């Protein structure tokens, strides 16, 4: 399973990339806005840190605008993947971009039907938003199961990015269901490390060692 970092924060990306934990990065307008920096500068900097797919999202909502922005963003680095929202214009733009060899990550996927449309249009990545489904009492993980089934039935060249991850269990469940990628916010990545028994165990090892050799 690949780990992407779901952030536009360059420091966090460097921090986890140094541990070999970052196979790619996903950003969205909200995440870039939070950094208060120039969009293209951020994407360029991320591309220099991580050697893997970097998702940059278009802001236009019409087909021509999406395609124009996508082509401009693609110029930044060969690893740029264009995030396109799941709308009719987004589907048409995805079809056009796929034919031009531009990789699309179709975002804001909330149903298996939407996932199927994205696959048909030629998306190379699809992003089911599981946390936002859980927020409205729908099972995000059931969507991942359905999308996995669909992909396993055919030979679409597409990977599932489980997105809108809120806690470590989301990551573990996504892995157990065979999702290709989890895109993880830095705060959740931190939590993946933690177990109280690890801390207690290490403390005890060091104490026993020091007691034994103090004598
Ligand atoms: O990758 C999508 C993600 O950024 C959305 O997460 O927590 O805003 O639903 P969230």
């Amino acid at each position: 399973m690949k780990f992407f970092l779901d952030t536009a924060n360059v420091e966090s990306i460097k921090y986890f990339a140094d541990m070999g934990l970052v196979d790619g990065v996903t950003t969205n307008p909200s995440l870039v806005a939070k950094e208060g920096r120039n969009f293209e500068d951020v994407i360029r900097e991320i591309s220099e840190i991580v050697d893997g797919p970097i998702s940059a999202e278009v802001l236009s909502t019409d087909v021509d605008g999406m395609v124009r922005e996508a082509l401009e963003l693609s110029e930044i680095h060969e690893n740029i993947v264009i995030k396109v929202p799941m709308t009719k214009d987004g589907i048409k733009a995805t079809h056009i971009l796929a034919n031009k060899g531009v990789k699309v990550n179709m975002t804001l996927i909330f149903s298996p039907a939407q996932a199927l449309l994205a696959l048909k249009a030629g998306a190379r990545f699809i992003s089911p938003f599981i946390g936002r489904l859980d927020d409205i009492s729908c099972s995000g993980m059931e969507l991942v199961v359905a999308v996995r089934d669909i992909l396993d039935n055919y030979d679409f060249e597409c990977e599932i990015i489980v997105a809108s991850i809120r806690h470590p269990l989301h990551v573990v469940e996504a892995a157990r269901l065979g999702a290709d990628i989890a895109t993880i916010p830095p705060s959740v990545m931190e939590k993946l490390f933690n177990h109280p028994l690890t801390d207690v165990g290490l403390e005890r090892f060091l104490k026993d060692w020091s007691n034994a050799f103090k004598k």
Side-chain angles (χ1 to χ4, degrees):
M1 185 196 215
K2 283 176 257 184
F3 275 9
F4 286 7
L5 215 52
D6 194 25
T7 184
N9 184 281
V10 170
E11 293 311 314
S12 292
I13 294 168
K14 274 190 202 144
Y15 177 75
F16 290 110
D18 282 348
M19 297 181 204
L21 292 175
V22 185
D23 301 302
V25 173
T26 51
T27 67
N28 63 36
S30 309
L31 293 171
V32 176
K34 209 163 91 182
E35 297 306 310
R37 297 186 52 203
N38 175 276
F39 180 35
E40 291 191 9
D41 288 350
V42 173
I43 296 298
R44 193 168 289 111
E45 236 177 278
I46 295 172
S47 309
E48 281 159 17
I49 302 167
V50 175
D51 185 17
I54 315 292
S55 287
E57 188 159 343
V58 293
L59 291 168
S60 299
T61 52
D62 63 296
V63 178
D64 291 347
M66 285 183 190
V67 171
R68 181 183 36 76
E69 270 187 66
L71 296 176
E72 283 167 12
L73 288 167
S74 301
E75 289 295 310
I76 296 177
H77 194 279
E78 60 186 2
N79 285 342
I80 301 299
V81 170
I82 307 301
K83 232 175 171 184
V84 173
M86 171 60 226
T87 59
K88 281 183 184 159
D89 279 60
I91 287 290
K92 194 166 174 191
T94 298
H95 175 62
I96 293 168
L97 291 168
N99 283 334
K100 289 181 185 291
V102 175
K103 290 182 186 165
V104 169
N105 169 5
M106 183 138 273
T107 188
L108 294 169
I109 299 272
F110 291 99
S111 75
Q114 290 179 327
L116 197 46
L117 291 173
L119 295 171
K120 293 291 293 173
R124 290 291 297 271
F125 301 91
I126 45 173
S127 293
F129 272 36
I130 59 165
R132 292 191 195 183
L133 278 171
D134 290 356
D135 286 344
I136 58 159
S137 297
C138 292
S139 166
M141 281 305 156
E142 274 178 28
L143 174 58
V144 177
V145 171
V147 175
R148 181 74 275 162
D149 278 352
I150 292 169
L151 274 170
D152 289 347
N153 283 344
Y154 302 99
D155 57 357
F156 292 109
E157 198 184 340
C158 184
E159 290 178 89
I160 305 170
I161 305 181
V162 176
S164 184
I165 279 179
R166 301 284 171 74
H167 49 70
L169 204 51
H170 274 156
V171 180
V172 174
E173 285 176 353
R176 294 186 68 175
L177 294 178
D180 305 288
I181 301 156
T183 190
I184 309 170
S187 57
V188 175
M189 193 75 112
E190 275 297 340
K191 289 182 188 159
L192 290 177
F193 286 86
N194 299 339
H195 200 291
L197 290 179
T198 304
D199 301 337
V200 170
L202 180 59
E203 201 181 321
R204 192 179 302 163
F205 286 152
L206 296 176
K207 201 165 150 202
D208 289 346
W209 183 266
S210 126
N211 287 343
F213 291 103
K214 244 192 257 164
K215 286 171 200 161

